[in-house]
Amino acid sequence: MLRANILDNTTGRTELAARKAAAQFDARALSPGGRLPTPEGGVDLVLVRDAAGRTVAASGDPRDAPDFGALLPGPGDDSRSTVLPPARPGDLRRAVVVVATPGPVGGGGAGAAVGAGGAGGADGERGPYAVYAATVLGDVDDATRAIAAGLLAGAPPLVAFAAALAWWVTGHALRPVTAIRTGLAAVTASELDRRVPDPGGADEMARLARTVNDTLDRLERSDARQRQFTADASHELRNPLAAVRSRLEVALAGERPDRASVAAALADTERLQRIATDLLLLARLDGGPAPRPEPVDLALLAAEDAARRPAPRVPLRVEAAAPVAAYGNPARLERALANLVDNAVRHAAGGVVVRARACGDWAELEVIDDGPGIPDADRTRVFERFVRLDADRGRAAGGTGLGLAIAREIARAHGGDVRALPAPEGGARLRLRIPGAGGGGGR
């Protein structure tokens, strides 16, 4: 780039010197065989030749001129520039720039430009002339060699410095990643409370660290929930097993089996079976795929559930003015409704009401009983697994402590939820809500 720039400037200066000489020769300031003034701008030689190739004027010794050959402008051009090779092999300073400009002919008044093979003018014209200007490219070659030597000497250190700088910058930028990797490697099943360092700020590294810590928080909560669930399940299973064992031992202690003890053992075994079934369903809800949706009528589900209870402990009434369309898994929604109704029937004093209705984009099932109700502080906790609020809602009532938890998980798997709401006349009011057939709704 430097050589091209210097060469372009040298060509411009050389062409300007040739045009000045042509103008002077045209104005008869010079005569053939005369001496041209020394050119400016570092141009080495300017000379004028006639059509026969004879030098008619020069700014220096014509013998120093390079071999121009038949160098002349092409048709329609008044100048031409080129770089001639060195005069001798190995002589790099003999490379020159040549500008050939047709020299106007003198005589008769105004001049006329003449090119290669140009025609003569009026009477008294001396014939076509060409003006040549030459500049030795020694300075161009010296500058090019100096820059090349400087680049050759400076490039390796610059490349090494750039590589070292890139290595340092990359290592500094990736240092938080190393810290995050080290922190994650230290997290084990027994140390889920460990967190990766947060570098602060709002860049990608900081967001990555926060995302990792949020994931570890969820993992720790899930592990704690799983441990608590395992402990609760073990506790709930241990008591019926101990009761079954003691009743069987009492029955076997006598000469004849005690029918009452065997019946009680059978009842405890059935309760164990219900707990195991509920645990299996919860495990499927926790880790299984989302239910495949299909059209379902919640009002019809409520009516069918009531029909399967020919003689409930308290009267059961279904209220549904019209079909309530939704999308979901009928079997699981049926199980969720059955759990809610079982809970209400166990604790109701005089009756249970099941209402099915559409509310905007939602489809709702409400189960209302007139029992002791649910305190405000326990309306969320009542849906946790193995939670019993008091003696009235204890084991003696026959529940496993998993029914409401199962109902909530089924509703959430369908994009909805189950909530405990205050009943207008006392008692408990549980509302299951899932998206209706008309839209997704918002909770």
Side-chain angles (χ1 to χ4, degrees):
M1 291 176 63
L2 176 67
R3 178 178 178 83
N5 183 265
I6 297 177
L7 191 60
D8 186 62
N9 292 336
T10 302
T11 301
R13 294 196 305 269
T14 306
E15 182 177 358
L16 180 61
R19 291 187 181 277
K20 285 183 177 180
Q24 292 172 345
F25 193 75
D26 178 46
R28 298 181 182 277
L30 298 171
S31 60
R35 184 175 181 83
L36 296 172
T38 302
E40 300 175 353
V43 179
D44 294 292
L45 179 65
V46 177
L47 55 83
V48 181
R49 288 182 176 176
D50 59 15
R54 295 187 296 269
T55 300
V56 297
S59 64
D61 189 352
R63 292 174 297 181
D64 293 336
D67 182 14
F68 295 118
L71 181 63
L72 289 171
D77 296 329
D78 62 353
S79 65
R80 180 183 176 186
S81 63
T82 189
V83 177
L84 298 180
R88 297 182 302 274
D91 186 5
L92 299 179
R93 298 180 65 84
R94 290 298 296 169
V96 295
V97 173
V98 178
V99 177
T101 302
V105 297
V114 180
D123 294 341
E125 291 179 347
R126 294 191 293 262
Y129 294 90
V131 179
Y132 295 86
T135 301
V136 178
L137 298 181
D139 293 341
V140 177
D141 294 335
D142 291 343
T144 303
R145 284 194 294 271
I147 289 296
L151 289 176
L152 186 62
L158 285 176
V159 171
F161 174 75
L165 181 63
W167 178 83
W168 181 84
V169 170
T170 303
H172 183 75
L174 295 181
R175 192 174 302 165
V177 176
T178 302
I180 293 174
R181 180 188 60 80
T182 303
L184 278 177
V187 175
T188 62
S190 60
E191 294 183 345
L192 288 176
D193 58 334
R194 298 179 67 96
R195 296 296 180 267
V196 301
D198 187 348
D203 57 3
E204 293 296 332
M205 296 300 177
R207 288 196 289 268
L208 174 62
R210 296 186 190 113
T211 301
V212 170
N213 285 335
D214 291 343
T215 303
L216 291 175
D217 288 339
R218 292 193 297 271
L219 182 62
E220 183 180 16
R221 290 194 297 268
S222 177
D223 180 73
R225 180 183 177 186
Q226 189 68 26
R227 290 176 183 272
Q228 183 63 39
F229 177 69
T230 303
D232 292 341
S234 300
H235 177 73
E236 292 293 328
L237 292 174
R238 184 174 61 248
N239 292 333
L241 284 174
V244 170
R245 179 176 179 178
S246 63
R247 294 179 187 279
L248 291 177
E249 288 176 347
V250 170
L252 293 175
E255 296 181 358
R256 293 183 178 181
D258 184 356
R259 188 176 182 84
S261 298
V262 173
L266 178 61
D268 287 335
T269 303
E270 291 175 349
R271 183 168 179 272
L272 279 173
Q273 185 178 11
R274 290 196 299 271
I275 293 176
T277 302
D278 289 347
L279 289 175
L280 179 60
L281 178 58
L282 278 175
R284 290 175 178 173
L285 291 174
D286 286 339
R292 178 176 297 178
E294 59 182 89
V296 59
D297 182 2
L298 297 189
L300 181 60
L301 283 184
E304 291 176 347
D305 180 79
R308 282 192 293 268
R309 303 172 186 268
R313 189 182 68 85
V314 294
L316 175 63
R317 186 174 77 255
V318 176
E319 296 180 358
V324 181
Y327 279 100
N329 183 283
R332 290 192 178 182
L333 290 174
E334 180 182 318
R335 175 61 185 274
L337 175 61
N339 287 359
L340 296 179
V341 175
D342 287 342
N343 178 79
V345 170
R346 264 196 309 272
H347 307 294
V352 175
V353 177
V354 179
R355 293 174 183 167
R357 63 182 179 179
C359 185
D361 293 334
W362 295 98
E364 295 182 353
L365 281 171
E366 281 192 351
V367 180
I368 305 170
D369 67 69
D370 57 354
I374 302 174
D376 294 346
D378 295 323
R379 286 178 182 167
T380 300
R381 195 171 70 89
V382 73
F383 293 102
E384 297 178 2
R385 302 173 184 187
F386 296 115
V387 169
R388 294 181 177 88
L389 301 182
D390 49 35
D392 290 335
R393 295 180 180 267
R395 294 183 183 88
T400 64
L402 297 173
L404 296 185
I406 291 174
R408 184 182 63 173
E409 294 301 325
I410 291 176
R412 288 183 174 179
H414 286 77
D417 204 352
V418 177
R419 293 182 179 179
L421 304 174
E425 298 179 357
R429 180 162 68 110
L430 302 179
R431 184 173 66 190
L432 183 148
R433 169 182 282 191
I434 63 174
R443 195 176 308 169

